[in-house]
Amino acid sequence: MGRLTTHVLDTAKGCPAAGIRIELHRFGNGHDDMVAEAVTNADGRTDKPMLEGASFKPGQYQLVFHAGDYLDASGAELPDPKFLDQVVIRFGISDGQAHYHVPLLLSPFGYSTYRGS
């Protein structure tokens, strides 16, 4: 059965990023529907998959990582306004039976992602 998971690593500190709110949106028929929301735990992961079971379907999705509050609390010297506040990753799911893992590697001035396993 397919599922979508994620985690966040703070690459500036070299540790998991706890306390980041994440929204998952699904796009289709001209609509943007928020289908899930979670907060990263002490390991930088969500406690359960963002999407799984019958709700896991092929389509266009977007993860919104609300990183600004985390970056403010990180102790990093940040400009006003911050360079990064919300990090948005839009991606497609084509295989309804696969595991899609979309991590975020975050620092105050950059980020990267990839499809993991």
Side-chain angles (χ1 to χ4, degrees), residues 34-47:
M34 187 167 77
V35 294
E37 187 173 25
V39 176
T40 58
N41 60 26
D43 197 31
R45 299 180 182 278
T46 58
D47 290 333

PDB file of all heavy atoms in Angstrom, residues 34-47:
ATOM      1  N   MET A  34      -6.325  21.222   1.414  1.00  0.00           N
ATOM      2  CA  MET A  34      -5.396  20.729   2.434  1.00  0.00           C
ATOM      3  C   MET A  34      -5.937  19.396   2.919  1.00  0.00           C
ATOM      4  O   MET A  34      -7.084  19.309   3.372  1.00  0.00           O
ATOM      5  CB  MET A  34      -5.250  21.704   3.592  1.00  0.00           C
ATOM      6  CG  MET A  34      -4.151  21.257   4.558  1.00  0.00           C
ATOM      7  SD  MET A  34      -3.646  22.485   5.757  1.00  0.00           S
ATOM      8  CE  MET A  34      -4.992  22.392   6.898  1.00  0.00           C
ATOM      9  N   VAL A  35      -5.107  18.346   2.808  1.00  0.00           N
ATOM     10  CA  VAL A  35      -5.559  16.999   3.160  1.00  0.00           C
ATOM     11  C   VAL A  35      -4.911  16.454   4.432  1.00  0.00           C
ATOM     12  O   VAL A  35      -5.373  15.461   4.968  1.00  0.00           O
ATOM     13  CB  VAL A  35      -5.348  16.013   1.991  1.00  0.00           C
ATOM     14  CG1 VAL A  35      -6.238  16.392   0.814  1.00  0.00           C
ATOM     15  CG2 VAL A  35      -3.901  15.946   1.558  1.00  0.00           C
ATOM     16  N   ALA A  36      -3.849  17.115   4.900  1.00  0.00           N
ATOM     17  CA  ALA A  36      -3.195  16.641   6.130  1.00  0.00           C
ATOM     18  C   ALA A  36      -2.354  17.767   6.710  1.00  0.00           C
ATOM     19  O   ALA A  36      -1.926  18.687   6.005  1.00  0.00           O
ATOM     20  CB  ALA A  36      -2.315  15.429   5.846  1.00  0.00           C
ATOM     21  N   GLU A  37      -2.112  17.647   8.007  1.00  0.00           N
ATOM     22  CA  GLU A  37      -1.250  18.589   8.719  1.00  0.00           C
ATOM     23  C   GLU A  37      -0.551  17.826   9.824  1.00  0.00           C
ATOM     24  O   GLU A  37      -1.140  16.926  10.433  1.00  0.00           O
ATOM     25  CB  GLU A  37      -2.099  19.729   9.284  1.00  0.00           C
ATOM     26  CG  GLU A  37      -1.318  20.850   9.884  1.00  0.00           C
ATOM     27  CD  GLU A  37      -2.219  22.033  10.266  1.00  0.00           C
ATOM     28  OE1 GLU A  37      -3.419  21.832  10.505  1.00  0.00           O
ATOM     29  OE2 GLU A  37      -1.681  23.139  10.349  1.00  0.00           O
ATOM     30  N   ALA A  38       0.704  18.155  10.073  1.00  0.00           N
ATOM     31  CA  ALA A  38       1.471  17.482  11.121  1.00  0.00           C
ATOM     32  C   ALA A  38       2.554  18.427  11.630  1.00  0.00           C
ATOM     33  O   ALA A  38       2.818  19.472  11.027  1.00  0.00           O
ATOM     34  CB  ALA A  38       2.106  16.205  10.579  1.00  0.00           C
ATOM     35  N   VAL A  39       3.194  18.036  12.720  1.00  0.00           N
ATOM     36  CA  VAL A  39       4.323  18.770  13.291  1.00  0.00           C
ATOM     37  C   VAL A  39       5.450  17.777  13.502  1.00  0.00           C
ATOM     38  O   VAL A  39       5.216  16.657  13.992  1.00  0.00           O
ATOM     39  CB  VAL A  39       3.939  19.439  14.629  1.00  0.00           C
ATOM     40  CG1 VAL A  39       5.138  20.117  15.267  1.00  0.00           C
ATOM     41  CG2 VAL A  39       2.801  20.438  14.424  1.00  0.00           C
ATOM     42  N   THR A  40       6.670  18.174  13.138  1.00  0.00           N
ATOM     43  CA  THR A  40       7.802  17.258  13.293  1.00  0.00           C
ATOM     44  C   THR A  40       8.103  17.022  14.770  1.00  0.00           C
ATOM     45  O   THR A  40       8.022  17.913  15.598  1.00  0.00           O
ATOM     46  CB  THR A  40       9.059  17.778  12.578  1.00  0.00           C
ATOM     47  OG1 THR A  40       9.404  19.075  13.082  1.00  0.00           O
ATOM     48  CG2 THR A  40       8.855  17.845  11.075  1.00  0.00           C
ATOM     49  N   ASN A  41       8.470  15.782  15.071  1.00  0.00           N
ATOM     50  CA  ASN A  41       8.811  15.385  16.437  1.00  0.00           C
ATOM     51  C   ASN A  41      10.306  15.616  16.705  1.00  0.00           C
ATOM     52  O   ASN A  41      11.005  16.220  15.885  1.00  0.00           O
ATOM     53  CB  ASN A  41       8.378  13.937  16.695  1.00  0.00           C
ATOM     54  CG  ASN A  41       9.041  12.949  15.746  1.00  0.00           C
ATOM     55  OD1 ASN A  41      10.131  13.180  15.214  1.00  0.00           O
ATOM     56  ND2 ASN A  41       8.376  11.821  15.526  1.00  0.00           N
ATOM     57  N   ALA A  42      10.800  15.116  17.815  1.00  0.00           N
ATOM     58  CA  ALA A  42      12.203  15.330  18.194  1.00  0.00           C
ATOM     59  C   ALA A  42      13.180  14.732  17.184  1.00  0.00           C
ATOM     60  O   ALA A  42      14.337  15.162  17.113  1.00  0.00           O
ATOM     61  CB  ALA A  42      12.456  14.741  19.582  1.00  0.00           C
ATOM     62  N   ASP A  43      12.720  13.766  16.393  1.00  0.00           N
ATOM     63  CA  ASP A  43      13.566  13.143  15.373  1.00  0.00           C
ATOM     64  C   ASP A  43      13.414  13.835  14.018  1.00  0.00           C
ATOM     65  O   ASP A  43      13.933  13.355  13.019  1.00  0.00           O
ATOM     66  CB  ASP A  43      13.197  11.659  15.260  1.00  0.00           C
ATOM     67  CG  ASP A  43      14.261  10.851  14.539  1.00  0.00           C
ATOM     68  OD1 ASP A  43      15.450  11.193  14.631  1.00  0.00           O
ATOM     69  OD2 ASP A  43      13.884   9.872  13.859  1.00  0.00           O
ATOM     70  N   GLY A  44      12.675  14.954  13.969  1.00  0.00           N
ATOM     71  CA  GLY A  44      12.463  15.685  12.734  1.00  0.00           C
ATOM     72  C   GLY A  44      11.469  15.018  11.802  1.00  0.00           C
ATOM     73  O   GLY A  44      11.332  15.416  10.645  1.00  0.00           O
ATOM     74  N   ARG A  45      10.764  14.015  12.292  1.00  0.00           N
ATOM     75  CA  ARG A  45       9.807  13.251  11.477  1.00  0.00           C
ATOM     76  C   ARG A  45       8.387  13.504  11.966  1.00  0.00           C
ATOM     77  O   ARG A  45       8.180  13.967  13.087  1.00  0.00           O
ATOM     78  CB  ARG A  45      10.112  11.758  11.565  1.00  0.00           C
ATOM     79  CG  ARG A  45      11.500  11.418  11.045  1.00  0.00           C
ATOM     80  CD  ARG A  45      11.817   9.936  11.134  1.00  0.00           C
ATOM     81  NE  ARG A  45      13.150   9.682  10.662  1.00  0.00           N
ATOM     82  CZ  ARG A  45      13.504   9.546   9.383  1.00  0.00           C
ATOM     83  NH1 ARG A  45      12.583   9.646   8.434  1.00  0.00           N
ATOM     84  NH2 ARG A  45      14.751   9.321   9.041  1.00  0.00           N
ATOM     85  N   THR A  46       7.425  13.148  11.144  1.00  0.00           N
ATOM     86  CA  THR A  46       6.039  13.179  11.595  1.00  0.00           C
ATOM     87  C   THR A  46       5.749  11.839  12.273  1.00  0.00           C
ATOM     88  O   THR A  46       6.384  10.834  11.973  1.00  0.00           O
ATOM     89  CB  THR A  46       5.085  13.421  10.418  1.00  0.00           C
ATOM     90  OG1 THR A  46       5.266  12.405   9.435  1.00  0.00           O
ATOM     91  CG2 THR A  46       5.338  14.787   9.784  1.00  0.00           C
ATOM     92  N   ASP A  47       4.797  11.838  13.194  1.00  0.00           N
ATOM     93  CA  ASP A  47       4.505  10.622  13.948  1.00  0.00           C
ATOM     94  C   ASP A  47       3.859   9.528  13.104  1.00  0.00           C
ATOM     95  O   ASP A  47       3.917   8.360  13.466  1.00  0.00           O
ATOM     96  CB  ASP A  47       3.613  10.942  15.149  1.00  0.00           C
ATOM     97  CG  ASP A  47       4.353  11.726  16.219  1.00  0.00           C
ATOM     98  OD1 ASP A  47       5.591  11.593  16.323  1.00  0.00           O
ATOM     99  OD2 ASP A  47       3.694  12.503  16.939  1.00  0.00           O
TER     100      ASP A  47
END
